[in-house]
């Protein structure tokens, strides 16, 4: 009898053994995600809008960085899987067979549901904490905000009208001006309202955005931490000259702000005497001399209806 030959390692029918595609995709994704998240956090992140001029702006930049770091791996996984599929599993010439049927995978399904649920819940908690702390994320929270800063903030009332913002400082005699000037390092409370239609006060570099609704006081907080210019725009379509409803403010040193506020209070004393007492909102139809006061303040028109100088039709 002859000895039976030992079976040799013969490749399975159809060619070489199938590589571990899942491991390949995972390793490519892991490297790409690590590089992308590092670049987002350390290179791109410090330059993300709205910057770090105030506490609310810095908080928003941090939120965007966190969301970008979380989203990048998900996007890369989709792109890498898509690219890998097109290269490795593309249809070859002469290959007209269907792929093997897949009947489901309980473990993958359970991991997927658990992981996505954990991510959604974590984001819900993260978002709630950010909205309830750190200046309330710089958003208008109505007349009764759930978060308030400690101490006594500087009160600045933002009064919107077609198509101009004015700013009233009740702690400095209640004067009203078209200039927004804030001191660095001091908490600020914006009381935002409107005299006519719905507007939206958006101080970009400060990370503050609050709707200005007629008859409603909308409160937003922030604390400027750097000096510099501030761009203010209306972020709610409010009529013909909505696009022209913008101005520029600034954050200055405390000493410069005090000097400006005291000087402006003295200079506008006559106009301030014509204005109604400070209130959280105003009805322009029952305020005496509002047209005259606005005209003295250099605002063409009143009760809203401000017309920019470039408009060929003036009220």
């Amino acid at each position: 009898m002859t000895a039976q030959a030992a079976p040799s390692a013969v490749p399975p029918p159809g060619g070489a053994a199938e590589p571990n595609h899942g491991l390949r995709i995972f390793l490519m994704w892991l490297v790409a995600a690590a590089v992308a998240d590092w670049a987002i956090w350390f290179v791109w992140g410090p330059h993300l809008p709205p910057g770090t001029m105030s506490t609310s702006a810095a908080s928003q930049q941090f939120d965007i960085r966190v969301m970008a770091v979380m989203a990048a791996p998900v996007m890369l996984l989709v792109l890498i899987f898509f690219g890998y599929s097109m290269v490795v599993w593309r249809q070859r010439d002469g290959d007209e067979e269907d792929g093997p049927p897949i009947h489901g995978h309980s473990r993958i399904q359970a991991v997927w549901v658990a992981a996505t649920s954990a991510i959604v819940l974590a984001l819900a908690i993260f978002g709630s904490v950010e909205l309830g702390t750190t200046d309330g994320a710089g958003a208008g929270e109505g007349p009764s905000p759930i978060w308030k800063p400690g101490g006594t903030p500087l009160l600045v009332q933002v009064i919107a009208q077609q198509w101009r913002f004015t700013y009233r400082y009740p702690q400095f005699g209640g004067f009203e001006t078209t200039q927004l000037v804030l001191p660095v390092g001091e908490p600020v409370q914006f009381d935002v309202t409107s005299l006519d239609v719905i507007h939206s006060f958006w101080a970009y570099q400060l990370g503050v955005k609050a709707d200005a609704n007629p008859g409603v006081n909308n409160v937003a907080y922030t604390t400027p931490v750097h000096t510099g210019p501030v761009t203010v725009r209306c972020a709610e379509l409010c009529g013909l000259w909505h696009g022209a409803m913008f101005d520029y403010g600034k954050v200055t040193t405390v000493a410069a702000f005090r000097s400006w506020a005291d000087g402006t209070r003295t200079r506008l004393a006559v106009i301030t005497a014509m204005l109604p007492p400070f209130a959280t909102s105003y009805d322009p139809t029952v305020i005496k001399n509002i047209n005259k006061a606005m005209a003295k303040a250099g605002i063409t028109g009143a009760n809203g209806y401000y017309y920019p100088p470039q408009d060929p039709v003036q009220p």
Side-chain angles (χ1 to χ4, degrees):
M1 296 179 63
T2 58
Q4 187 175 9
S8 59
V10 180
E18 190 76 8
N20 191 332
H21 297 292
L23 181 60
R24 284 183 176 182
I25 294 173
F26 172 77
L27 292 176
M28 288 188 291
W29 168 80
L30 186 64
V31 173
V35 172
D37 279 351
W38 181 89
I40 289 171
W41 189 263
F42 293 103
V43 179
W44 186 35
H47 305 286
L48 286 171
T52 58
M53 180 176 251
S54 71
T55 51
S56 53
S59 174
Q60 291 171 28
Q61 187 188 81
F62 172 76
D63 296 344
I64 295 173
R65 289 169 77 176
V66 170
M67 295 294 289
V69 165
M70 296 181 67
V74 177
M75 182 188 71
L76 286 171
L77 179 61
V78 174
L79 294 177
I80 289 172
F81 181 83
F82 184 67
Y84 188 89
S85 300
M86 289 196 302
V87 172
V88 177
W89 294 316
R90 70 183 187 276
Q91 186 179 24
R92 316 282 178 173
D93 292 337
D95 182 8
E96 299 181 357
E97 295 183 2
D98 292 332
I102 299 176
H103 299 287
H105 197 295
S106 300
R107 184 181 301 174
I108 291 179
Q109 293 171 350
V111 170
W112 180 267
V113 171
T116 53
S117 299
I119 292 172
V120 170
L121 291 174
L123 288 175
I125 295 172
F126 175 77
S128 300
V129 171
E130 289 294 292
L131 286 174
T133 59
T134 319
D135 305 318
E141 300 181 28
S144 302
I146 60 175
W147 184 93
K148 295 182 179 180
T152 302
L154 170 69
L155 299 181
V156 179
Q157 185 175 44
V158 181
I159 303 173
Q161 57 186 299
Q162 292 174 315
W163 288 275
R164 177 70 69 91
F165 288 109
T166 58
Y167 309 97
R168 195 167 189 184
Y169 293 78
Q171 294 159 322
F172 291 87
F175 70 81
E176 186 174 348
T177 175
T178 56
Q179 295 178 282
L180 175 63
V181 181
L182 303 173
V184 69
E186 292 192 6
V188 178
Q189 174 180 323
F190 291 106
D191 292 276
V192 184
T193 189
S194 171
L195 294 182
D196 41 39
V197 299
I198 297 175
H199 302 272
S200 184
F201 170 69
W202 181 25
Y204 173 76
Q205 287 84 356
L206 298 177
V208 174
K209 184 176 181 296
D211 286 346
N213 299 317
V216 177
N217 180 38
N218 198 7
V219 179
Y221 296 104
T222 193
T223 301
V225 294
H226 300 292
T227 59
V230 177
T231 303
V232 177
R233 292 186 177 275
C234 178
E236 185 76 30
L237 183 61
C238 59
L240 179 63
W241 285 101
H242 163 71
M245 190 171 174
F246 66 91
D247 57 53
Y248 301 96
K250 61 182 178 180
V251 177
T252 66
T253 63
V254 175
F257 169 78
R258 299 290 178 183
S259 176
W260 170 84
D262 292 337
T264 305
R265 178 178 184 175
T266 302
R267 180 170 56 85
L268 298 180
V270 174
I271 299 175
T272 303
M274 301 171 64
L275 295 174
F278 173 78
T280 55
S281 62
Y282 307 94
D283 182 355
T285 63
V286 299
I287 299 176
K288 296 180 179 179
N289 298 323
I290 187 171
N291 290 14
K292 192 179 296 184
M294 290 297 182
K296 277 185 171 293
I299 302 176
T300 307
N303 304 351
Y305 310 112
Y306 165 78
Y307 280 63
Q310 64 267 33
D311 194 326
V313 179
Q314 295 291 322

